[in-house]
Amino acid sequence: MEKTTIKRRFLIKAIGLATGAVMSGGLPALAAAPETQDDKKKKLALRVAHITDVHIKAGENAPERFKNCLKHIVSSHKPDFFLNGGDSINDASYDNVVYDQVIQQWSIWDECLKQLDKYEIHSCIGNHDPWWKAPSKDHEMYGKEYVVKRLKIPHRYYHFTKKNWHFIILDGNNSKISLDQEQYDWLEAELGKIPANEPVLLMSHYPILGTTQVLVGGGYSDCKKLKDLFYKHKDKVRVCLSGHNHLSDHTEYNGVLYCCNGAMSGFWWGKGDAESAGPGYYLETPPGYAMLKLYEDGTVENEYFPHNY
């Protein structure tokens, strides 16, 4: 497997704490920051793998390619746990999808994830995961609740903690890509409960802020409302992870780092099209995954790794 060695390093500061982001992926370096003495003293709290937009399916040899990539992540990076950003299966949302297709895709997902049987996987719901054309709204496989069950997550949105870090998982699969009022009220209350200066990572399928939605759309319609909420808790909110757009983008705003971390499937496991910068690329982004280093002081490093599986 080839490894791209070109890296981008971003450093941001918020409330006296340095927040860093690192990225690699065959893209030109925009900024570089030398390692400082303070960097050497930082204590690593967690090493987390972020995979998103797997779009698992039977075709394109996708299952074996995905399993091989998971094996590589485990052996090369030794993460503490995985974050899965949604669109786990190729698609259950189109009008022509039938029962057998939904069952097959989730079965392949389950089989692939046996590679991670020793790891915790915390997932969010992607727009292609729910089956909206089930026989009725009362059917056990209809909508998001079935996805919650298949992903083995506690709710469509939830909060958990590891070390001194807080992880908040959101569900943007609502009107115009947004948080419904019930969820927004919950998020506001959860952020309020977190003690001052304790770092928070949020993950959603869709980007909240960033460059990619300017290019291809797909961002939160209530991004200003969320931005205002994060600013009220600027001593806590450090990084927001997303996928959906299959593009790699790091945007820093008001001390929060927004990372759209490409797609495991790249061009949906295909070869690409006329706009693809390389085989399997979506536009200029190769298929890949991200590794995050989360430090006790709230510092974040996010590195995107292209893969050739």
Side-chain angles (χ1 to χ4, degrees):
M1 173 181 158
E2 299 177 7
K3 182 179 178 182
T4 305
T5 56
I6 298 174
K7 295 184 179 180
R8 259 194 230 166
R9 185 173 178 87
F10 299 79
L11 294 177
I12 64 175
K13 292 185 178 180
I15 316 304
L17 295 175
T19 303
V22 183
M23 173 184 172
S24 72
L27 302 173
L30 296 183
E35 187 177 50
T36 66
Q37 196 64 33
D38 287 341
D39 290 333
K40 295 177 182 178
K41 293 179 180 177
K42 292 186 304 185
K43 292 185 178 180
L44 182 64
L46 295 163
R47 185 178 285 107
V48 181
H50 179 218
I51 62 173
T52 188
D53 295 83
V54 175
H55 286 279
I56 201 63
K57 58 183 179 181
E60 306 285 356
N61 199 29
E64 288 305 310
R65 294 162 68 188
F66 179 41
K67 285 189 278 189
N68 286 335
C69 194
L70 291 178
K71 291 176 186 177
H72 174 77
I73 294 172
V74 169
S75 63
S76 298
H77 303 290
K78 297 177 173 58
D80 291 301
F81 62 91
F82 281 73
L83 293 173
N84 167 39
D87 281 1
S88 301
I89 61 173
N90 190 49
D91 189 79
S93 66
Y94 290 153
D95 288 348
N96 61 345
V97 175
V98 297
Y99 174 89
D100 289 346
Q101 291 173 291
V102 180
I103 291 296
Q104 180 195 46
Q105 290 177 77
W106 282 116
S107 295
I108 297 172
W109 173 259
D110 292 341
E111 177 63 28
C112 289
L113 257 62
K114 289 180 181 178
Q115 303 296 322
L116 304 181
D117 58 353
K118 297 180 181 178
Y119 286 86
E120 289 184 17
I121 306 166
H122 302 275
S123 302
C124 65
I125 302 172
N127 56 298
H128 288 292
D129 295 326
W131 187 33
W132 300 111
K133 289 297 180 178
S136 73
K137 292 184 178 181
D138 296 325
H139 193 279
E140 65 171 350
M141 290 172 58
Y142 174 82
K144 291 188 276 190
E145 287 306 311
Y146 182 70
V147 181
V148 167
K149 177 181 176 181
R150 294 309 300 248
L151 291 176
K152 300 176 183 178
I153 55 179
H155 191 55
R156 63 186 179 93
Y157 54 87
Y158 57 100
H159 173 195
F160 67 95
T161 59
K162 295 285 184 182
K163 301 291 181 71
N164 66 318
W165 275 82
H166 296 263
F167 298 83
I168 295 178
I169 313 302
L170 300 175
D171 169 27
N173 296 285
N174 305 293
S175 176
K176 298 179 180 179
I177 305 179
S178 65
L179 297 190
D180 52 281
Q181 191 61 48
E182 173 191 285
Q183 184 177 184
Y184 179 84
D185 292 344
W186 171 86
L187 175 60
E188 186 176 40
E190 289 298 297
L191 287 175
K193 293 175 187 175
I194 294 171
N197 298 312
E198 292 195 1
V200 176
L201 178 154
L202 296 102
M203 180 177 69
S204 177
H205 180 62
Y206 307 92
I208 294 174
L209 283 178
T211 302
T212 66
Q213 51 265 58
V214 177
L215 297 173
V216 297
Y220 271 76
S221 62
D222 55 350
C223 58
K224 291 182 179 179
K225 183 178 180 181
L226 292 172
K227 174 266 296 181
D228 291 344
L229 177 61
F230 298 162
Y231 192 73
K232 290 179 182 177
H233 298 280
K234 58 186 178 180
D235 62 319
K236 306 171 188 177
V237 179
R238 303 301 166 81
V239 58
C240 295
L241 303 181
S242 66
H244 184 62
N245 286 349
H246 291 224
L247 298 174
S248 179
D249 169 39
H250 292 194
T251 297
E252 182 271 321
Y253 188 72
N254 284 345
V256 180
L257 183 65
Y258 297 86
C259 298
C260 185
N261 278 326
M264 174 67 71
S265 63
F267 197 85
W268 296 269
W269 300 105
K271 294 180 180 179
D273 62 12
E275 293 187 291
S276 299
Y281 283 52
Y282 179 56
L283 299 181
E284 298 82 19
T285 298
Y289 59 91
M291 287 300 306
L292 289 98
K293 292 180 180 178
L294 306 180
Y295 292 87
E296 290 182 359
D297 67 354
T299 301
V300 181
E301 294 179 9
N302 186 104
E303 186 171 358
Y304 187 70
F305 288 87
H307 74 75
N308 291 318
Y309 291 107

